[in-house]
Amino acid sequence: MVVPMIVIRKMTEYDATEVKSLSVEESQLAYVGHISEILCDDPATNHFHVILDNENIVGFFIIDTLYKQHYSFTLDKELGLRGFIIDKNQQGKGLGKQSVIALKPYLQLFYQKWDSIVLTVNCKNINAYKCYLTGGFTDTGQLYQEGPAGPQHIMRMNI
């Protein structure tokens, strides 16, 4: 049995082809969308990151530094986590959980001027919700009602 070795790092231009090949199950598209659409976000304020397992890219996410401008529930000095994807061929191996656990020390190292990070997760997406809880996020008890696929839990983690 190979033990996963999760590493998070900023995405580079050399990662683009491999990142574009990431996909999720059809049922998850409503929650995260297509990677090609996500990569169109402005990289100046939306920092692209990759998740590696034993040096292979298995996931992707965005740290949004202007999340507060779009979502009133965001606190001062709070980042937004968006587009968190583990490739459908890599799901079910615990990589999502390990990646979320690895997120806090990563943010503490590279986002020191920020106090916390917030995300929304669809109320129907139970597996992702549990993954975020296990990784250190807490449910604020509030719901974001304007999600494209229905109500979403608002979850937060101190950095």
Side-chain angles (χ1 to χ4, degrees), residues 43 45-49 61-66 79-82 103 106-107 111 114 117:
T45 58
N46 294 285
H47 303 167
F48 302 158
H49 301 271
F61 63 89
I62 295 173
I63 297 294
D64 186 341
T65 61
L66 293 181
L79 299 164
L81 177 63
R82 300 190 306 102
L103 184 61
Y106 179 78
L107 295 173
Y111 290 89
W114 301 89
I117 187 164

Side-chain angles (χ1 to χ4, degrees), residues 11-152:
M11 182 179 144
T12 69
E13 62 184 276
Y14 304 107
D15 298 325
T17 301
E18 201 170 345
V19 168
K20 288 177 185 175
S21 73
L22 297 174
S23 62
V24 296
E25 295 293 339
E26 196 72 30
S27 62
Q28 296 172 317
L29 282 175
Y31 307 137
V32 293
H34 292 279
I35 193 76
S36 59
E37 295 165 353
I38 296 169
L39 289 172
C40 292
D41 287 350
D42 180 4
T45 58
N46 294 285
H47 303 167
F48 302 158
H49 301 271
V50 291
I51 302 165
L52 297 98
D53 173 28
N54 296 312
E55 300 183 25
N56 298 310
I57 295 176
V58 296
F60 171 87
F61 63 89
I62 295 173
I63 297 294
D64 186 341
T65 61
L66 293 181
Y67 206 69
K68 184 166 179 55
Q69 291 185 5
H70 305 285
Y71 300 99
S72 61
F73 56 80
T74 308
L75 304 175
D76 291 333
K77 294 177 70 175
E78 185 165 65
L79 299 164
L81 177 63
R82 300 190 306 102
F84 187 92
I85 293 173
I86 298 295
D87 185 71
K88 68 181 179 183
N89 297 316
Q90 302 299 322
Q91 292 180 9
K93 300 176 181 179
L95 299 176
K97 184 187 320 179
Q98 291 178 41
S99 300
V100 176
I101 290 169
L103 184 61
K104 185 171 185 168
Y106 179 78
L107 295 173
Q108 289 172 330
L109 188 61
F110 294 104
Y111 290 89
Q112 295 175 359
K113 71 176 190 172
W114 301 89
D115 293 336
S116 56
I117 187 164
V118 68
L119 61 86
T120 61
V121 61
N122 192 282
C123 293
K124 298 175 205 164
N125 195 349
I126 304 301
N127 289 337
Y129 178 79
K130 289 178 182 178
C131 178
Y132 292 126
L133 283 176
T134 301
F137 282 84
T138 57
D139 190 331
T140 66
Q142 299 173 308
L143 292 178
Y144 176 65
Q145 297 289 349
E146 299 174 38
Q152 300 175 3

